[in-house]
């Protein structure tokens, strides 16, 4: 078995998703010798893409916000700023069997399922959460309970509860208001004169990933793929080595960016307390059924499904954001669903998921026919997001563990903000800072990630 000298590598990053790659980038820019070890065949994690119409599109839908200061910095630093653009998008809600536009105050007033008084309560409570509330004061308050009191029972039943139920399933009643505050702050901060401006890269996020991997190569970062870590050994109060199938790897410091559920399985008796704490963090899975169509479903980019019983919580029509002409006139729509790992959908085959999802489209789009579909793609992951239940900050691990050269930075550190590429950059910057690397040049604006455990 090949062994790498301890003095050769300053830092090993385990996990080649965006957090791991940006951590490696920041460390290498500071002159560190870095190695990234990724278990799968490809780097990028949730940024992975596939081909449609001589272009690329993500397995799991992505967009940026105007206030994504960290991501905008990274894009500029990688010299791909000319690929970045922002544009107005549209949102809708499917409620009581009807599609409603949901972009402005006028749209809210036209929304028939709730009364005028409830509309006022919805607006005021949303503004309070998105603009003024401090998430630290609401970690022990259930979103559902608070919304029933302040937004109203009808509004909660019609709007909020179905959305929370489809996203969080059996955990919906335990989701803290802190998460809702993070979610609404993220969306409201991207609005300008009432319109939401969202961003994307011409050519997909593969442009970002390719540019980042190229820069890492230029900086001498060693990129090791298809090498899941199988064992970690300890000596005194340090990690001595990590082992993949055919190689032993050594470094001065180790940063693990893989999901807590995977990391805990690698830890032995010496780190039992860390492992026990990590096991407290549960994950949601996510499935995206991506339809390649010969026509558009509607003129709405993001349609939230507020009626109960549907197997998906959102329909994101990508080509109402990026023109279908970019994909040889193919129209692209995501049917998106989060799931608890004990849900039936977690064990379904791709064909079963496909049939389940398509069965419900005619209930939304009158006249819909499967003849419109040119191809169906199904992607599923079991670690799409953490289950952030009440007082979740108490579960978020410290980046610097009790083991001297052992650091953790993963999706749990996004809380109370919502998972995004930008927030992954923020977490990477905070992890490097904790490891003694200057990242003060990475700007921050409105991200609430990286506040806990660092």
């Amino acid at each position: 078995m090949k062994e790498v000298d301890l003095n050769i590598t300053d830092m090993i990053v385990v996990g080649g998703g965006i957090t791991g790659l940006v951590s490696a980038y920041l460390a290498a820019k500071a002159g560190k010798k870095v190695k990234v070890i990724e278990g799968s065949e490809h780097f990028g994690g949730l940024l992975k893409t596939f081909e449609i119409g001589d272009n690329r599109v993500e397995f799991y839908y992505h967009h940026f916000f105007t206030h994504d200061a960290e991501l905008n910095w990274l894009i500029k630093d990688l010299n791909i700023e000319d690929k970045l653009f922002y544009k107005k998008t549209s949102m809708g809600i499917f409620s009581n069997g009807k599609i409603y536009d949901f972009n402005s105050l006028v749209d809210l007033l036209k929304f028939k399922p709730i009364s005028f008084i409830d509309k006022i309560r919805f607006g005021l409570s949303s503004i309070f959460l998105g603009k003024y509330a401090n998430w630290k004061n609401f970690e022990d308050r259930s979103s559902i309970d608070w919304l029933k009191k302040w937004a109203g029972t009808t509004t909660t039943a019609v709007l909020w509860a179905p959305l929370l139920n489809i996203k969080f399933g059996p955990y919906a009643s335990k989701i803290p208001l802190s998460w809702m505050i993070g979610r609404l702050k993220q969306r409201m901060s991207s609005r300008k004169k009432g319109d939401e401006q969202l961003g994307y890269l011409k050519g997909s996020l593969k442009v970002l990933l390719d540019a980042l991997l190229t820069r890492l190569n230029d900086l001498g970062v060693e990129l090791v793929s298809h090498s899941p870590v199988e064992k970690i050994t300890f000596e005194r109060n340090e990690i001595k080595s990590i082992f993949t199938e055919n190689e032993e790897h050594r470094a001065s410091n180790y940063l693990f960016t893989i999901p807590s559920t995977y990391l805990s399985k690698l830890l032995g008796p010496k780190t039992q307390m860390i492992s026990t704490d990590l096991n407290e963090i549960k994950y949601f899975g996510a499935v995206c059924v991506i339809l390649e169509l010969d026509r558009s479903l509607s003129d709405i980019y993001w349609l939230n499904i507020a009626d109960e019983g549907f197997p998906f919580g959102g329909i994101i029509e990508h080509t109402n954001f990026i023109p279908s002409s970019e994909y040889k006139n193919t129209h692209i729509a995501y049917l998106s669903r989060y799931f608890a790992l004990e849900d039936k959908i977690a064990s379904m085959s791709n064909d079963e998921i496909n049939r389940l999802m398509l069965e419900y489209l005619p209930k939304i789009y009158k006249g819909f026919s499967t003849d419109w579909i040119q191809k169906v793609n199904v992607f599923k992951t079991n670690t799409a997001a953490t289950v952030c239940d009440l007082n979740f900050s108490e579960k978020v691990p410290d980046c610097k563990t009790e083991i001297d050269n052992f650091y953790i930075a993963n999706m749990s550190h996004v809380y109370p903000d919502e998972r995004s590429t930008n927030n992954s950059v923020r977490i990477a910057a905070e992890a490097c800072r904790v490891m003694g690397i200057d990242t003060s040049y990475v700007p921050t604006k409105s991200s609430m990630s990286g506040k806990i455990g660092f």
Side-chain angles (χ1 to χ4, degrees), residues 107-261:
D107 290 338
L108 176 60
L109 293 174
K110 291 180 179 179
F111 187 65
K112 294 181 179 180
I114 59 176
S115 69
F116 180 73
I117 296 299
D118 282 335
K119 291 170 184 175
I120 293 174
R121 295 180 69 180
F122 170 82
L124 292 176
S125 59
S126 297
I127 290 171
F128 170 72
L129 295 176
K131 296 289 186 181
Y132 302 107
N134 185 336
W135 68 268
K136 295 179 181 178
N137 298 330
F138 296 98
E139 268 208 287
D140 59 349
R141 297 291 302 276
S142 160
S143 291
I144 289 287
D145 291 345
W146 190 94
L147 290 165
K148 284 180 180 177
K149 180 177 180 179
W150 296 103
T153 55
T154 301
T155 300
T156 302
V158 170
L159 288 174
W160 293 121
L163 299 179
L164 286 166
N165 285 332
I166 194 66
K167 185 175 180 71
F168 295 109
Y171 303 100
S173 64
K174 299 177 182 179
I175 300 304
L177 194 64
S178 299
W179 178 87
M180 184 65 73
I181 290 169
R183 178 67 168 171
L184 287 175
K185 283 185 183 295
Q186 191 183 68
R187 305 299 303 213
M188 288 187 179
S189 297
S190 199
R191 287 186 172 271
K192 186 176 182 181
K193 295 181 179 179
D195 293 329
E196 184 170 44
Q197 300 280 327
L198 297 178
Y200 195 67
L201 288 170
K202 185 176 177 61
S204 83
L205 267 71
K206 187 177 187 296
V207 173
L208 172 64
L209 182 59
D210 286 351
L212 184 53
L213 291 173
T214 297
R215 191 66 62 85
L216 288 171
N217 276 307
D218 292 344
L219 289 167
V221 174
E222 186 178 353
L223 298 167
V224 182
S225 62
H226 212 274
S227 299
V229 173
E230 297 181 347
K231 185 172 70 171
I232 305 173
T233 60
F234 298 87
E235 187 174 88
R236 295 183 292 275
N237 197 48
E238 291 187 340
I239 293 178
K240 179 185 177 183
S241 305
I242 61 174
F243 292 83
T244 56
E245 183 178 8
N246 298 312
E247 193 168 355
E248 178 182 10
H249 306 266
R250 291 189 177 186
S252 299
N253 291 295
Y254 300 80
L255 175 63
F256 289 81
T257 65
I258 58 179
S260 300
T261 185

Side-chain angles (χ1 to χ4, degrees), residues 53 293-295 319 323-332 374:
L293 302 152
D294 65 7
R295 69 197 75 185
T319 39
S324 62
S325 57
E326 296 289 327
Y327 307 94
K328 287 190 170 180
N329 296 319
T330 297
H331 295 263
I332 302 167
Q374 299 170 335

Side-chain angles (χ1 to χ4, degrees), residues 54-153:
D54 291 342
N55 204 335
R56 309 284 298 185
V57 71
E58 293 73 28
F59 287 14
Y60 308 97
Y61 53 87
H62 280 75
H63 54 234
F64 311 144
F65 296 100
T66 55
H67 52 81
D68 283 349
E70 292 89 340
L71 181 60
N72 284 327
W73 165 81
L74 178 63
I75 288 171
K76 184 175 182 180
D77 205 58
L78 294 173
N79 295 320
I80 55 173
E81 197 174 15
D82 61 320
K83 303 293 185 182
L84 176 64
F85 64 90
Y86 288 89
K87 63 183 291 188
K88 176 184 174 182
T89 59
S90 59
M91 180 179 290
I93 289 183
F94 181 77
S95 180
N96 289 351
K98 183 178 178 181
I99 295 175
Y100 293 89
D101 290 328
F102 215 77
N103 300 290
S104 65
L105 177 59
V106 173
D107 290 338
L108 176 60
L109 293 174
K110 291 180 179 179
F111 187 65
K112 294 181 179 180
I114 59 176
S115 69
F116 180 73
I117 296 299
D118 282 335
K119 291 170 184 175
I120 293 174
R121 295 180 69 180
F122 170 82
L124 292 176
S125 59
S126 297
I127 290 171
F128 170 72
L129 295 176
K131 296 289 186 181
Y132 302 107
N134 185 336
W135 68 268
K136 295 179 181 178
N137 298 330
F138 296 98
E139 268 208 287
D140 59 349
R141 297 291 302 276
S142 160
S143 291
I144 289 287
D145 291 345
W146 190 94
L147 290 165
K148 284 180 180 177
K149 180 177 180 179
W150 296 103
T153 55

Side-chain angles (χ1 to χ4, degrees), residues 287 339-353 380 382:
V287 60
F339 57 85
L341 299 186
E342 59 268 27
D343 285 355
K344 184 178 179 181
I345 199 170
S347 58
M348 283 184 174
S349 69
N350 286 355
D351 286 342
E352 290 172 327
I353 292 171
K380 184 167 66 171
N382 287 335

